[in-house]
Amino acid sequence: MKLDFLTLYIVILLNSVTVAIIWGAISYRYRNFSAARIWLAGCLLTTVGGCVLALQGNEGSYVPAVLGNGFVIFGFCLFWIGVRDFYGLRGGWKASVAVTAGSLLLLVALFDSLQGRNLVYAGGQSVPLALAAIYLLRFHRGDLGAVIAAFAMVVGMAGHAVESFLNIGLMLGRVDQDFYSMVESYALLCVIFSGVVWNFGFAVMSIDRLREELAELAIKDDLTGISNRRHFLAMLEKQVSARPPQSPAVFADADRHRPFQAPERHEGARFRRPRPAQVRHDRHRQRP
């Protein structure tokens, strides 16, 4: 099967648009979820890159090739930045700019060599994928979505590795052109569809995070930040069912304590109210 680059870039475009629509809806619905906005930006950049790359044709026109790959590589970097943001880590922008700029400089320097360009494409996309996979595996805490996304990224990097070895073989005269065209087709398709899978993993991660936040709201008091009656009853049931009981459980109801009851009639009560709960919580934690 001979690789048709125009068809390849159209497939990249359609996949990116599909995933961008999903992240756009999530970003609009949950506007405080910053990781979704970053992943949306990554999808949009890869979409723009696919549009620009489609203009270069099979021969690889200079300007569309450089600009299109710049958009795609930085879009891949945004997936890594989004993973960092998901786990509460900031930064990554300078490194992403450096990776993109370095890839474009190499691309310009090696543009006369088709195999050299292909090596730059694969390397520029593999670096942010490797970084994102490392962060996902480091912080996943048993999160199925993170494992799915990391696995898909490893598969994508494997596809790029196969493509890179084939191009090196061509440069050294060790690989036949027909064999190269056949295997590279499957390797690049593997990379393309792994992108769909890692975005699915991101979506699973997002659903789990939103469910955790909802569960936290259901068992925590907004004002004091401590567990409410619902959480107490659930923990009490768990402790009672344990054999032997693991620890004592105490429930204190301060609803009838007037100094902490009416914020609108007692100025500063909203600041005083968490104090008794925090003292009880800290004293309990200090006990051996």
Side-chain angles (χ1 to χ4, degrees):
M1 181 175 68
K2 184 175 175 57
L3 185 63
D4 181 358
F5 281 95
L6 179 59
T7 302
L8 174 67
Y9 297 135
I10 291 175
V11 171
I12 294 174
L13 172 64
L14 293 177
N15 280 340
S16 299
V17 169
T18 301
V19 179
I21 291 173
I22 295 173
W23 285 120
I26 295 175
S27 300
Y28 178 79
R29 184 64 182 85
Y30 303 98
R31 300 185 183 183
N32 293 328
F33 190 19
S34 56
R37 295 197 300 272
I38 298 174
W39 289 330
L40 169 62
C43 292
L44 292 176
L45 278 181
T46 55
T47 301
V48 173
C51 292
V52 176
L53 288 172
L55 301 176
Q56 69 172 333
N58 288 335
E59 298 301 323
S61 299
Y62 184 84
V63 174
V66 173
L67 289 179
N69 279 282
F71 285 129
V72 172
I73 291 172
F74 193 73
F76 274 55
C77 290
L78 289 181
F79 292 129
W80 168 54
I81 294 175
V83 171
R84 290 176 57 94
D85 184 86
F86 183 86
Y87 291 115
L89 303 173
R90 297 295 178 259
W93 295 96
K94 292 181 180 179
S96 297
V97 171
V99 169
T100 304
S103 299
L104 293 183
L105 288 175
L106 285 174
L107 181 60
V108 171
L110 300 174
F111 194 82
D112 292 335
S113 170
L114 176 60
Q115 288 74 39
R117 295 202 309 259
N118 290 339
L119 289 173
V120 174
Y121 301 159
Q125 295 175 22
S126 295
V127 170
L129 288 182
L131 292 172
I134 291 172
Y135 275 81
L136 288 167
L137 294 175
R138 179 187 300 175
F139 298 108
H140 69 86
R141 297 174 303 173
D143 186 350
L144 179 61
V147 174
I148 291 173
F151 175 77
M153 290 178 174
V154 171
V155 171
M157 287 186 290
H160 279 312
V162 171
E163 181 190 3
S164 298
F165 283 122
L166 289 173
N167 279 279
I168 293 174
L170 275 178
M171 295 172 70
L172 298 176
R174 301 293 182 86
V175 175
D176 179 76
Q177 180 66 47
D178 292 335
F179 177 77
Y180 167 83
S181 299
M182 178 184 66
V183 177
E184 187 190 30
S185 302
Y186 294 108
L188 292 181
L189 287 175
C190 181
V191 174
I192 293 170
F193 289 106
S194 69
V196 177
V197 177
W198 78 59
N199 276 283
F200 172 74
F202 289 163
V204 175
M205 291 165 55
S206 303
I207 293 172
D208 289 342
R209 171 65 59 82
L210 295 171
R211 289 183 62 184
E212 289 175 2
E213 293 178 356
L214 181 61
E216 188 77 7
L217 290 173
I219 64 174
K220 296 287 185 179
D221 181 78
D222 291 338
L223 182 58
T224 64
I226 63 172
S227 300
N228 58 19
R229 187 190 300 267
R230 181 182 293 108
H231 193 204
F232 169 78
L233 293 175
M235 294 301 297
L236 180 62
E237 182 179 354
K238 180 179 178 180
Q239 295 293 338
V240 170
S241 62
R243 291 292 184 270
Q246 297 177 357
S247 63
V250 177
F251 181 78
D253 191 343
D255 283 347
R256 297 182 180 278
H257 199 306
R258 289 186 177 275
F260 307 120
Q261 167 97 333
E264 71 281 358
R265 289 161 50 185
H266 300 278
E267 185 177 358
R270 294 180 64 86
F271 299 98
R272 294 196 301 270
R273 189 171 187 177
R275 179 63 180 164
Q278 188 63 48
V279 169
R280 288 193 297 270
H281 181 267
D282 291 343
R283 288 175 64 89
H284 178 70
R285 289 178 60 89
Q286 292 171 2
R287 294 178 59 186

